[in-house]
Amino acid sequence: MSNEEPKGLKAWLLTTDHKKIAILYLYTAAVFFIVALLLAVLMRTELLTSDKLIFGPKLYNVFFTIHGAAMVLFWMIPVLLGFFANYLIPLMIGARDVAFPRLNSLSYWFYAASGVIAVLGLLLPGRLDIGWTGYPPYSITTEANTALYIFAVHLLGASSIGGAVNFITTIITMRAPGMTWGRLNLAVWGFFGAFIIQLIGVPVLAAAVTLLLFDRYLGTNFYDAAQGGSPVLYQHLFWFYAHPAVYVVALPVFGIVSEIISTFSRKKVFGYTSMVVAIMIITVLGFETWIHHLYVAGVANWSRVIFMWATILIGVPTGIKIFNWLATLHKGSIRLTTPMLYALGFISLFTIGGVTGIANGLLGFDIHVHDTHWVVAHFHYVLALSMTMLCIGGVYFWFPKMTGRMYNENMGKLAFWITLLGSLVAFMPHFKLGLDGIPRRYWSIPEVYSSMMIISTIFSYIAIAGFILAIYNLIVSAINGEKAGDNPWRAKSLEWSIPSPPPFYNFEKIPVIEEGPYEYGKPGS
Amino acid sequence: MSSENALHHEHEHHEVELSVWPLVIGLASLLIPFAFMAAFQWSSPVIGLLLTGVSVVLLLIGCFGWASEVYSKNQDVGLSKIAILIFIISEILLFGGLFGGYFYNMLPAEVWPPANTPDHVPPLGLALFLSIFLLSSSGTIHVAEMKLEKGDMGGFKGWLCLTIILGLLFIIGQAKEWAGLIGEGFTVSTNAFGTFFFTITGFHGSHVIVGLILQIFVLLLGSRITKKSHTIVKATGYYWHFVDGIWLLVLSLMYILPYYGI
Ligand code: HEM
Ligand SMILES: [Cu+2]
């Protein structure tokens, strides 16, 4: 027994410490993020002209497949539930680690194994060209190595279910004395909702792709209409998880926004209870909307109408959250630090995306824009760019806690503005393309749109440059940033009460909690 | 719950934990896709088999290393009871997805099972007979737990062995059923019913096997299981009851209803 912390590669690879595992997740997810950004650069460059510029249709299909899969499955979800949740939950609930530290490490290794398989999908012959959705019959008849896609999903699924079981158990059983449900950070609530969705949704996705595997390689007939099966069944099973997966990303993001906004307004989050209720409503309602992805797949009319209403209904709790954030900002003493800028940037992009989402949800409208570039624009605003930006803001926010150092504030702000500018403009042309009925997933866009395509490509480069600058700043600052002290934001939440970086046992003594995490504006604060 | 949680006890010293076993199991899992692709995508089944073998060996090493680490450090803090219940929710959804898919194909069909299904499929009689084994094993594992609570270790082991035997009989019976059906030409490729029949009974059977492995593992733990340290027994029990419950669904939906042409 000792208080010494081991160093070196072994200490990382064999670690069961939730903070180290979290950082492994962050590094790995960042690698996938950068690879996916490079693929976006390639795609956007190809789209500059309507003729073949560098690689043409076959590789374009591979690139959007890997770009989409890497961004959603290997960047967004792991960075939120692997990195943020892992790092923050024990610190925020006052625990020394998670309920099952070895299982936590195993989840990471499943994720890493899945990542290896996904990268092979890009490199090995039989490159994946089935879209990140992997719809049959194409995924069954293609020459591509569909098995890579399926096993990547399986391993990731094992990782996610392990994580969900681990963290739900942790949150239920390991809260410090006095840490009641009503005193949990909203981030913890967001993670909690997200893990519930993972627990319920991932097995169904696993079932969907397992059946795909059987159809492709073992001669079953699940998705084969000629034999009494149905390809639409896959779409149902897939979206039963993949729509809620949006909330797997969104709920933690909402939580992190609340942390940042409260800290830099020095105000209690407005409407804590309604925030929690909204999170739980979204967790449940999220499973009632998947058919909006099947509006044109030949499903029954009554189901389209029911799911349209459920889809629109989910706008209500989401709207409540936006309202509460604005109310929290109101009359706060606002500090526009880099994380705060990202949080505000998130709210604005997300609002654009959210409004177009309501439009998408409307049956009549969606039949028109289904599978067009409207959808590409919509989800890049509502999910892809807005939430990625917020993730980066979150890393900036807890950077001093993790490293004990301060990032470069000016470079951080500059990177933010560059990304915001790029993101705002880059996907606007896609709305127009979509309204004109131009389908997504084509390597060549008609000549008449060429000026728009040039604008879109240039601003995409700008957005990506901003991301890279933001990451560069973090790397450099981690090495030689100024010492930050334990609580540079003077935040009230529990994780700021311990040293930076935290010792591996987190808390010298398990704390006794006497108030919530947002008690600003009291004497002595 | 939290009061019995060792992590909440205040230690003078804090110990860093390193464990190699998750990495070993992770490696084992990485080999499975390669094994599968070798066999099916790159048509070299020998390499596929070889890789499967290596993977299984690694998996076993990993699991036993892991377990002995946990028990040698006395880290059973009682949380796996809750964890297994949470995990079972996930398992229920897995079967939910499969049954959902089954209904999706079955409900709109005019004739079910499809016309080219052989007459004696599904073999209801055998299934009902096998149910006796599986359902009574839920009772025997419960008795085993009660014996353990009373501190009767001999009785505990005896009843646990009986449970394992009943489970094994079920699996053997099901393997015979499958062999018979396939021998008569009813396979996964026959039609949508064949596809779902083998998949759903197969998924269930694999869960029975996992349950059996857990029970055998408990048996091997031997004297490390005591009246006080028995979380794993409880967890195994919950899992076994779940596997039984799912069987009732499988029996009704895949045997009884199709038998009557529904
Ligand atoms: C500035 C950054 C980005 C650029 C320039 C970009 C660009 C693109 C392009 C050109 C496509 C293909 C559209 C088509 O032809 O249908 C695409 C698809 C996609 N992107 Fe992005 N993207 C960016 C960031 C992201 C991020 C952060 C996410 C993540 C969450 C994301 C998720 C997706 C998904 C899911 C698809 C659909 C793939 C498919 O159709 O299978 N993108 N993106
Ligand atoms: Cu959706």
Side-chain angles (χ1 to χ4, degrees):
Chain A
M1 289 215 175
S2 73
N3 279 327
E4 287 295 300
E5 201 169 351
K7 298 231 153 53
L9 192 63
K10 197 174 136 200
W12 283 97
L13 295 186
L14 307 188
T15 187
T16 60
D17 173 4
H18 71 99
K19 299 181 292 303
K20 279 207 161 75
I21 293 174
I23 289 172
L24 287 175
Y25 267 106
L26 179 62
Y27 289 156
T28 316
V31 169
F32 278 100
F33 178 51
I34 291 169
V35 169
L37 284 181
L38 288 177
L39 293 174
V41 169
L42 289 171
M43 284 191 291
R44 280 293 356 153
T45 311
E46 180 60 59
L47 291 173
L48 269 174
T49 63
S50 57
D51 302 325
K52 177 172 161 181
L53 191 64
I54 19 181
F55 46 80
K58 264 209 144 347
L59 277 180
Y60 189 83
N61 292 350
V62 174
F63 289 171
F64 73 65
T65 299
I66 305 287
H67 165 82
M71 283 293 196
V72 177
L73 301 174
F74 293 96
W75 155 247
M76 294 292 299
I77 296 179
V79 81
L80 285 160
L81 295 190
F83 165 65
F84 284 111
N86 227 323
Y87 201 93
L88 295 175
I89 288 176
L91 298 185
M92 284 179 165
I93 66 174
R96 293 229 158 91
D97 207 319
V98 296
F100 305 101
R102 285 183 194 76
L103 177 61
N104 199 12
S105 157
L106 180 62
S107 284
Y108 172 76
W109 290 115
F110 279 152
Y111 164 57
S114 174
V116 171
I117 301 292
V119 169
L120 292 179
L122 178 64
L123 301 179
L124 284 186
R127 292 190 176 89
L128 290 176
D129 61 355
I130 56 180
W132 83 280
T133 45
Y135 278 8
Y138 184 67
S139 55
I140 294 173
T141 55
T142 170
E143 293 287 291
N145 194 345
T146 305
L148 285 170
Y149 172 80
I150 292 163
F151 282 111
V153 171
H154 273 157
L155 287 169
L156 205 58
S159 165
S160 302
I161 291 174
V165 169
N166 205 347
F167 284 100
I168 293 175
T169 310
T170 305
I171 295 172
I172 293 177
T173 62
M174 295 180 61
R175 284 167 289 125
M179 181 56 86
T180 57
W181 289 95
R183 287 179 184 157
L184 286 180
N185 287 75
L186 286 170
V188 175
W189 274 108
F191 296 134
F192 190 63
F195 281 120
I196 292 177
I197 296 176
Q198 291 285 75
L199 188 74
I200 292 175
V202 169
V204 177
L205 176 69
V209 298
T210 306
L211 305 189
L212 194 63
L213 187 78
F214 291 174
D215 266 16
R216 170 79 191 256
Y217 297 99
L218 305 181
T220 56
N221 307 313
F222 291 106
Y223 304 132
D224 183 353
Q227 298 293 334
S230 164
V232 180
L233 172 60
Y234 179 85
Q235 299 189 19
H236 279 290
L237 295 175
F238 181 86
W239 287 109
F240 180 82
Y241 170 66
H243 182 82
V246 171
Y247 304 109
V248 169
V249 173
L251 294 179
V253 161
F254 292 164
I256 293 171
V257 173
S258 306
E259 305 298 329
I260 296 177
I261 289 201
S262 160
T263 304
F264 293 120
S265 310
R266 297 202 72 68
K267 269 181 69 189
K268 199 175 169 144
V269 175
F270 184 87
Y272 176 91
T273 312
S274 66
M275 290 297 228
V276 172
V277 171
I279 287 175
M280 289 337 263
I281 289 180
I282 293 175
T283 304
V284 175
L285 260 190
F287 283 105
E288 260 72 53
T289 63
W290 82 89
I291 285 190
H292 64 219
H293 295 272
L294 283 82
Y295 280 163
V296 299
V299 293
N301 232 333
W302 59 266
S303 71
R304 301 205 289 187
V305 175
I306 292 178
F307 279 81
M308 175 179 97
W309 281 109
T311 302
I312 290 169
L313 208 59
I314 222 165
V316 176
T318 314
I320 290 177
K321 303 200 80 88
I322 296 181
F323 171 77
N324 282 349
W325 289 325
L326 297 182
T328 309
L329 289 168
H330 181 66
K331 290 197 177 159
S333 35
I334 295 176
R335 268 189 295 165
L336 288 179
T337 58
T338 306
M340 185 65 160
L341 288 179
Y342 275 108
L344 299 176
F346 163 78
I347 295 177
S348 45
L349 282 180
F350 180 71
T351 308
I352 299 179
V355 172
T356 60
I358 297 285
N360 266 359
L362 297 172
L363 181 51
F365 182 76
D366 184 72
I367 286 174
H368 178 63
V369 298
H370 186 90
D371 244 340
T372 68
H373 273 278
W374 171 280
V375 177
V376 174
H378 157 69
F379 71 69
H380 277 93
Y381 280 117
V382 78
L383 183 118
L385 295 167
S386 63
M387 301 207 183
T388 291
M389 285 177 74
L390 192 274
C391 288
I392 292 181
V395 176
Y396 272 87
F397 184 62
W398 282 287
F399 182 84
K401 178 56 42 191
M402 294 189 298
T403 61
R405 294 178 187 276
M406 203 55 178
Y407 57 81
N408 181 327
E409 189 76 79
N410 288 334
M411 205 197 293
K413 287 183 182 169
L414 180 67
F416 164 78
W417 287 113
I418 294 176
T419 306
L420 186 71
L421 172 74
S423 310
L424 271 175
V425 182
F427 285 92
M428 284 298 167
H430 292 256
F431 281 127
K432 169 75 175 132
L433 289 182
L435 290 175
D436 289 357
I438 306 291
R440 63 192 273 208
R441 293 180 167 174
Y442 280 87
W443 65 287
S444 164
I445 304 286
E447 192 70 60
V448 285
Y449 298 105
S450 67
S451 53
M452 277 194 209
M453 284 296 95
I454 292 172
I455 292 177
S456 174
T457 299
I458 291 174
F459 280 85
S460 296
Y461 292 166
I462 293 177
I464 292 169
F467 282 136
I468 302 291
L469 184 62
I471 295 173
Y472 171 79
N473 185 7
L474 290 172
I475 296 173
V476 172
S477 307
I479 299 167
N480 55 16
E482 282 169 35
K483 291 264 181 268
D486 292 345
N487 189 0
W489 311 135
R490 291 188 297 125
K492 292 299 224 166
S493 170
L494 193 54
E495 77 273 21
W496 296 103
S497 67
I498 55 174
S500 303
F504 62 87
Y505 45 83
N506 295 351
F507 299 93
E508 187 61 47
K509 268 197 155 76
I510 293 297
V512 176
I513 311 300
E514 271 149 12
E515 56 180 19
Y518 310 116
E519 299 300 327
Y520 293 99
K522 289 189 175 171
S525 76
Chain B
M1 179 67 49
S2 17
S3 59
E4 64 182 57
N5 178 355
L7 292 167
H8 277 185
H9 291 185
E10 281 166 21
H11 295 289
E12 281 293 303
H13 294 280
H14 309 290
E15 200 179 353
V16 176
E17 296 255 14
L18 296 180
S19 177
V20 70
W21 308 116
L23 179 55
V24 173
I25 297 178
L27 270 179
S29 75
L30 182 57
L31 292 180
I32 298 288
F34 287 101
F36 186 91
M37 285 184 295
F40 290 95
Q41 185 88 20
W42 304 317
S43 27
S44 38
V46 180
I47 298 185
L49 231 71
L50 214 73
L51 285 174
T52 313
V54 178
S55 169
V56 169
V57 171
L58 274 181
L59 193 68
L60 286 177
I61 297 177
C63 289
F64 279 95
W66 181 318
S68 66
E69 205 170 81
V70 170
Y71 280 95
S72 70
K73 294 191 181 168
N74 215 352
Q75 282 175 333
D76 180 4
V77 291
L79 295 181
S80 43
K81 267 182 293 188
I82 291 203
I84 201 90
L85 289 177
I86 296 172
F87 178 62
I88 285 173
I89 297 178
S90 185
E91 292 271 44
I92 289 174
L93 264 295
L94 176 67
F95 281 96
L98 293 173
F99 282 126
Y102 178 69
F103 281 120
Y104 187 81
N105 280 347
M106 177 261 254
L107 291 177
E110 273 166 21
V111 192
W112 195 266
N116 61 341
T117 313
D119 279 345
H120 49 279
V121 171
L124 181 59
L126 179 59
L128 285 174
F129 180 62
L130 294 178
S131 305
I132 301 174
F133 298 137
L134 202 57
L135 295 183
S136 57
S137 73
S138 239
T140 55
I141 200 168
H142 185 68
V143 178
E145 282 173 46
M146 303 223 304
K147 296 279 176 204
L148 179 63
E149 257 151 52
K150 289 204 194 97
D152 173 3
M153 291 312 288
F156 164 65
K157 280 191 190 145
W159 285 96
L160 187 60
C161 281
L162 186 58
T163 312
I164 294 174
I165 293 169
L166 289 170
L168 280 175
L169 284 175
F170 174 85
I171 282 294
I172 294 168
Q174 191 154 48
K176 274 204 147 25
E177 174 204 86
W178 272 31
L181 291 174
I182 293 171
E184 290 159 19
F186 180 67
T187 68
V188 286
S189 313
T190 305
N191 54 34
F193 181 67
T195 290
F196 274 101
F197 178 83
F198 284 103
T199 306
I200 290 182
T201 53
F203 261 87
H204 175 263
S206 64
H207 280 72
V208 175
I209 293 175
V210 171
L212 284 172
I213 293 175
L214 278 174
Q215 291 170 359
I216 293 171
F217 177 69
V218 169
L219 208 58
L220 293 180
L221 281 175
S223 60
R224 285 184 223 165
I225 303 278
T226 61
K227 206 171 139 182
K228 290 219 182 71
S229 165
H230 64 285
T231 329
I232 176 96
V233 181
K234 280 265 178 238
T236 306
Y238 289 149
Y239 193 76
W240 195 249
H241 294 315
F242 153 74
V243 170
D244 257 17
I246 291 290
W247 173 249
L248 288 178
L249 276 178
V250 176
L251 181 68
S252 344
L253 293 175
M254 305 312 295
Y255 292 89
I256 298 178
L257 290 183
Y259 185 81
Y260 293 105
I262 302 173

